[in-house]
Amino acid sequence: MVARAGIVVTGTEVLTGRVPDRNGPWLAEALRRLGVDVGHVVVVGDRPDDLSAALRFLADTGADLVITTGGLGPTADDLTAQLVGQVQGRAPELDVALEGRITEIVARLSRDRGWRMDPGATAAGTRKQAVVPAGAEVIEPVGTAPGLVVPVADGRTGPPVLVLPGPPGELRGMWPAALESPRVRAALAGATELRQRTVRLWGTPESELAATLRGLEGTLDGLEITTCLRGGELEVVTRFGPEHQAGYDALVAAVHGAHGSTVFSTDGAEVDELLARALDTRGWTIATAESCTAGMLVARLTDPAGSSVRVLGGIASYSNGVKTAALGVPAELIDALGAVSAEVAVAMASGVRERLGADVGVGITGIAGPGGGSADKPVGLVHVCVQSPLRSVSRELHVPGGRADVRERTVRVVLQLLLELVAP
Amino acid sequence: MVARAGIVVTGTEVLTGRVPDRNGPWLAEALRRLGVDVGHVVVVGDRPDDLSAALRFLADTGADLVITTGGLGPTADDLTAQLVGQVQGRAPELDVALEGRITEIVARLSRDRGWRMDPGATAAGTRKQAVVPAGAEVIEPVGTAPGLVVPVADGRTGPPVLVLPGPPGELRGMWPAALESPRVRAALAGATELRQRTVRLWGTPESELAATLRGLEGTLDGLEITTCLRGGELEVVTRFGPEHQAGYDALVAAVHGAHGSTVFSTDGAEVDELLARALDTRGWTIATAESCTAGMLVARLTDPAGSSVRVLGGIASYSNGVKTAALGVPAELIDALGAVSAEVAVAMASGVRERLGADVGVGITGIAGPGGGSADKPVGLVHVCVQSPLRSVSRELHVPGGRADVRERTVRVVLQLLLELVAP
């Protein structure tokens, strides 16, 4: 039996997309590493009945552990602890010692951050956070909200509920302590190792890969394979127990055999990481000149820690004046051919390489829309150029979708072009 | 009776967070505008039983309509149409006319994009996409996957299921046609207008606001209020029927009364939009010099369509050499005080203002970590400077969290500083 968990993410702000959910995916991945299978992530608003229904649903799916995130704050709409208690059959109870500890934490935070707090409001909020279901185990706060492990009341059956706060830093900080709870350990006792491996392809259509997989039917027992296309990149993720490693190796060999030239990653690495490794192997630095993507590429190149060894910087030349002043693109070139042209992309790449003293330069100029397109140069037309000390590669892209899609997909294509340019 | 809907988002890639869910929030918001209430968004992987369980759960919550996204592709792990048919009691059936239409679409796409496709694989994928539950209504594809409206089998009770594809562009493109389906219209017939309004504050702690709300208890009938703190910005979202407008107006007046100086938006506008409006009112242009955030700010400033009227560009000066060469920050200043210093932030702001010829300049220099910190200058220390033709404002920030948090929160603080600088 594989241990299974279900996750409830609470908060109207998440349900309506005002805040993206960073906890559900993080918990799903953390549990997968432990060999625990996650069947559902249920996002609910702040309505009591909806949360209770979600908790009962996950218990009914046979989950060994239910985890909730959010709804532990000092405000009246934060009801998770109370509702979990109700569903588990445990009455609310003020934990006086916990109230004291939270009071100390809040006092310390206020001092450190120079907050001026209304004492009455603070005390009321603290007391609310210290009211917990009777018999629940408390996980000490990283912020101000305590976590809880709430077993079902005696005489009932059902999984325990692990209650964690919503701020991702607090949730992640409390995760190790949560895993040490005896009730959580018992719930996840059935966990067995589940491997997850990823193969990434660039340029193979999904239907071609599907044909390859159909040809392997019968040899794929024990492999749970999912494929996913994003912006031209085809991702094949396989999950399996250790006993099926040989079957997985055969699958990878078959994908290599059929689509070898488009396979760019078999160790899970994303294109960003492969590019960083390739640049570091060469000892090359990089600088970017971006028009329609205006900083998105350089922001992404500097995402990883330590990126300053390879990234010198970038110039977002949104206006033509900046293309000329900061990158040295001749104004006559822009006048004659337009800012969105192959020649300007080349001039931007070589300009930023030279001015910033980088080994590798990138030029991106295009029409992200929705305005600015013409019959000749429609929205989605993007000219890109990547240059190394060894060669220069230019591409004319026709990127589908709206403004955000054009910008994001252009960055993705350029990362792949850079990888091809730099890979040894 | 308010009409209610439930949403199922399918895909292991979404469940595990490899791909963020863009459909659940979009649908929840589109439904809210129609006056339809969404109680749950359930994310499931590609496992058949998990999807079936989610469909039954949402029907049991009393939803008038269930919407699924994803799982309609040509590969074998895309099972949504088949499983929805099973749950609704309808057998799969090849729709020959639909198969013909999808064949034409695929042929056209292949021609336009120059794909080389294996004819056998393509035909198998197309046929799979044309197998639909008997009696389902087909919504014509925007990509290659058709949508479906699948009612329960005769003699049973339960909500119809609206089946939509996963790619956001396709889903959004097919939404108007889905709303015209007679079965969808009938399911949502109970929809009544539900207003949603947002107040945003910058600098009021959540517990202070909670105290204000507690003081109003008894006068808040019919208002569903949620508060959410993100990176220092406090968001108060209220949903109510038109008959409670007066109550909402009183709430806003009370929040203004208690926290007026920190209320920066009452019409739902985000800081980005307010800043854009303020710049345009002044007729000012802006340019950025970013070190630790390396392009994130300028990328965000250029998110909205038409941003070229106010954004000239930006320089991501990740290395000290670029700070000197591209921004004119004196090398001696960096040597004497370090790249992360108030003086360098000022020099970056004035340098980029001058070199790019902008009215407003921004300088950001800090230590995003995890490396590079010291006792004097720890990770999270960020110096920022914003300058207009009228004044210059500098701030020393101590931003909590990991590398990504430091970068994101810095951008948010700078947007608020810019709004204060520019607002008339």
Side-chain angles (χ1 to χ4, degrees):
Chain A
M1 254 308 275
V2 172
R4 276 177 67 99
I7 299 169
V8 186
V9 174
T10 72
T12 302
E13 69 278 9
V14 178
L15 185 66
T16 56
R18 292 199 307 281
V19 173
D21 171 32
R22 291 170 61 193
N23 291 328
W26 188 89
L27 285 170
E29 177 60 17
L31 289 162
R32 189 197 60 73
R33 285 176 202 274
L34 295 170
V36 179
D37 202 38
V38 175
H40 301 87
V41 175
V42 184
V43 184
V44 302
D46 293 324
R47 269 192 234 137
D49 291 351
D50 291 346
L51 175 55
S52 303
L55 291 168
R56 288 196 196 94
F57 164 61
L58 292 175
D60 289 348
T61 63
D64 299 295
L65 178 69
V66 172
I67 304 178
T68 69
T69 78
L72 299 180
T75 52
D77 58 337
D78 285 320
L79 287 166
T80 304
Q82 182 188 330
L83 290 169
V84 168
Q86 262 174 31
V87 169
Q88 299 293 72
R90 293 181 176 272
E93 198 176 72
L94 175 65
D95 183 331
V96 177
L98 178 60
E99 188 184 17
R101 297 200 296 281
I102 299 174
T103 302
E104 276 174 34
I105 292 171
V106 173
R108 180 167 45 75
L109 286 176
S110 305
R111 268 197 315 275
D112 288 358
R113 302 188 180 172
W115 290 341
R116 285 158 305 166
M117 314 276 281
D118 173 68
T122 307
T126 298
R127 174 153 297 198
K128 189 234 153 228
Q129 290 183 300
V131 173
V132 303
E137 183 185 336
V138 170
I139 300 168
E140 290 304 311
V142 160
T144 64
L148 299 167
V149 183
V150 187
V152 284
D154 297 338
R156 297 210 206 173
T157 58
V161 180
L162 169 61
V163 177
L164 293 171
E170 296 183 28
L171 178 137
R172 294 174 194 191
M174 289 158 74
W175 182 241
L179 290 180
E180 277 169 27
S181 150
R183 288 199 182 88
V184 171
R185 291 166 74 123
L188 302 182
T192 55
E193 188 192 346
L194 196 61
R195 295 182 181 169
Q196 176 170 307
R197 299 288 182 270
T198 304
V199 175
R200 294 192 166 88
L201 301 88
W202 177 254
T204 290
E206 197 171 8
S207 59
E208 302 279 310
L209 181 75
T212 303
L213 296 180
R214 269 194 297 274
L216 294 172
E217 256 171 40
T219 72
L220 302 177
D221 283 351
L223 305 182
E224 186 194 324
I225 304 169
T226 59
T227 64
C228 165
L229 187 67
R230 29 177 197 173
E233 203 173 278
L234 185 56
E235 201 173 67
V236 186
V237 176
T238 309
R239 310 209 298 171
F240 53 94
E243 68 278 19
H244 295 292
Q245 182 69 49
Y248 178 71
D249 294 341
L251 165 69
V252 174
V255 171
H256 255 295
H259 313 286
S261 65
T262 68
V263 174
F264 70 90
S265 168
T266 55
D267 66 353
E270 302 261 9
V271 60
D272 309 59
E273 190 184 337
L274 295 168
L275 173 60
R277 281 190 220 157
L279 284 164
D280 294 351
T281 302
R282 297 268 200 182
W284 283 351
T285 57
I286 186 169
T288 61
E290 303 177 66
S291 183
C292 59
T293 56
M296 292 172 71
L297 176 62
V298 69
R300 187 152 164 181
L301 292 173
T302 55
D303 256 351
S307 46
S308 59
V309 301
R310 71 190 78 91
V311 184
L312 296 186
I315 292 177
S317 56
Y318 215 57
S319 74
N320 290 345
V322 174
K323 288 184 186 72
T324 300
L327 292 167
V329 179
E332 312 80 60
L333 192 66
I334 297 175
D335 288 344
L337 302 169
V340 179
S341 59
E343 291 78 2
V344 168
V346 172
M348 288 169 68
S350 54
V352 80
R353 247 190 104 213
E354 190 182 305
R355 299 223 170 175
L356 270 55
D359 298 301
V360 175
V362 182
I364 301 174
T365 179
I367 301 157
S374 65
D376 257 23
K377 298 188 176 180
V379 169
L381 172 68
V382 184
H383 285 280
V384 303
C385 174
V386 296
Q387 296 188 346
S388 77
L390 308 176
R391 62 202 173 101
S392 176
V393 177
S394 291
R395 285 289 158 80
E396 175 178 324
L397 312 178
H398 295 266
V399 188
R403 181 176 176 85
D405 298 315
V406 170
R407 283 161 49 106
E408 278 164 31
R409 290 178 189 182
T410 296
V411 169
R412 196 174 278 274
V413 172
V414 170
L415 288 169
Q416 289 285 349
L417 279 176
L418 281 167
L419 182 58
E420 283 174 29
L421 181 83
V422 176
Chain B
M1 253 306 275
V2 172
R4 274 178 68 99
I7 299 170
V8 186
V9 174
T10 71
T12 301
E13 69 278 9
V14 178
L15 184 65
T16 56
R18 294 200 305 282
V19 174
D21 172 31
R22 292 171 58 194
N23 291 328
W26 188 88
L27 284 171
E29 176 59 19
L31 288 162
R32 188 197 60 75
R33 284 176 202 274
L34 294 171
V36 180
D37 202 41
V38 175
H40 300 89
V41 175
V42 185
V43 183
V44 301
D46 293 325
R47 269 192 236 137
D49 291 351
D50 291 345
L51 175 54
S52 302
L55 291 168
R56 287 197 197 95
F57 165 61
L58 292 176
D60 288 348
T61 62
D64 299 297
L65 177 69
V66 173
I67 303 179
T68 69
T69 78
L72 300 180
T75 53
D77 58 337
D78 285 321
L79 286 167
T80 304
Q82 184 188 328
L83 290 169
V84 168
Q86 262 173 32
V87 168
Q88 299 292 72
R90 295 182 175 270
E93 197 175 73
L94 175 65
D95 182 332
V96 178
L98 178 61
E99 187 184 18
R101 296 200 297 279
I102 300 174
T103 302
E104 275 174 34
I105 293 170
V106 173
R108 181 168 45 75
L109 286 176
S110 306
R111 266 198 317 275
D112 288 357
R113 302 188 180 174
W115 289 342
R116 283 156 306 165
M117 313 278 280
D118 173 66
T122 306
T126 298
R127 172 154 297 196
K128 189 233 153 228
Q129 290 183 301
V131 172
V132 302
E137 182 185 337
V138 170
I139 299 167
E140 291 304 311
V142 160
T144 65
L148 299 167
V149 183
V150 187
V152 285
D154 297 337
R156 298 208 205 174
T157 59
V161 180
L162 169 60
V163 177
L164 292 171
E170 296 184 28
L171 178 137
R172 295 173 194 191
M174 288 158 75
W175 182 242
L179 289 181
E180 278 170 26
S181 150
R183 287 198 182 90
V184 171
R185 289 165 75 122
L188 301 182
T192 55
E193 189 192 345
L194 195 62
R195 294 182 181 167
Q196 176 172 306
R197 300 287 182 270
T198 303
V199 174
R200 294 193 166 86
L201 302 87
W202 177 253
T204 291
E206 196 171 10
S207 59
E208 300 280 310
L209 182 75
T212 304
L213 295 181
R214 269 194 299 273
L216 295 172
E217 255 171 41
T219 73
L220 302 177
D221 283 351
L223 306 182
E224 185 194 325
I225 304 170
T226 59
T227 64
C228 167
L229 188 67
R230 29 176 197 174
E233 203 174 278
L234 185 56
E235 202 175 68
V236 186
V237 177
T238 309
R239 311 207 300 170
F240 54 93
E243 69 278 18
H244 295 290
Q245 181 69 47
Y248 178 71
D249 294 341
L251 166 68
V252 174
V255 171
H256 255 294
H259 313 286
S261 65
T262 68
V263 174
F264 70 90
S265 167
T266 54
D267 66 353
E270 302 262 9
V271 60
D272 310 59
E273 190 183 337
L274 294 168
L275 173 59
R277 280 189 219 156
L279 284 164
D280 294 351
T281 301
R282 297 268 199 183
W284 283 351
T285 57
I286 186 168
T288 62
E290 303 177 66
S291 183
C292 59
T293 55
M296 292 172 72
L297 176 61
V298 68
R300 188 154 162 179
L301 292 174
T302 55
D303 256 351
S307 46
S308 59
V309 301
R310 73 191 76 91
V311 184
L312 296 185
I315 292 178
S317 56
Y318 214 57
S319 74
N320 290 345
V322 173
K323 289 184 186 70
T324 301
L327 292 166
V329 179
E332 311 80 60
L333 190 67
I334 298 176
D335 288 345
L337 301 169
V340 178
S341 59
E343 292 78 0
V344 168
V346 172
M348 289 170 68
S350 54
V352 79
R353 245 189 107 212
E354 190 182 306
R355 298 225 171 174
L356 270 56
D359 299 301
V360 175
V362 182
I364 302 173
T365 178
I367 301 158
S374 66
D376 256 22
K377 298 188 177 180
V379 168
L381 172 68
V382 184
H383 286 280
V384 303
C385 175
V386 297
Q387 296 188 344
S388 77
L390 307 177
R391 61 202 175 105
S392 176
V393 177
S394 290
R395 286 287 158 82
E396 173 178 324
L397 312 177
H398 296 266
V399 189
R403 181 177 176 84
D405 297 316
V406 171
R407 286 162 46 105
E408 278 164 31
R409 289 177 190 183
T410 296
V411 170
R412 194 174 280 273
V413 173
V414 171
L415 288 169
Q416 290 285 350
L417 279 177
L418 281 167
L419 182 58
E420 282 174 31
L421 182 83
V422 177

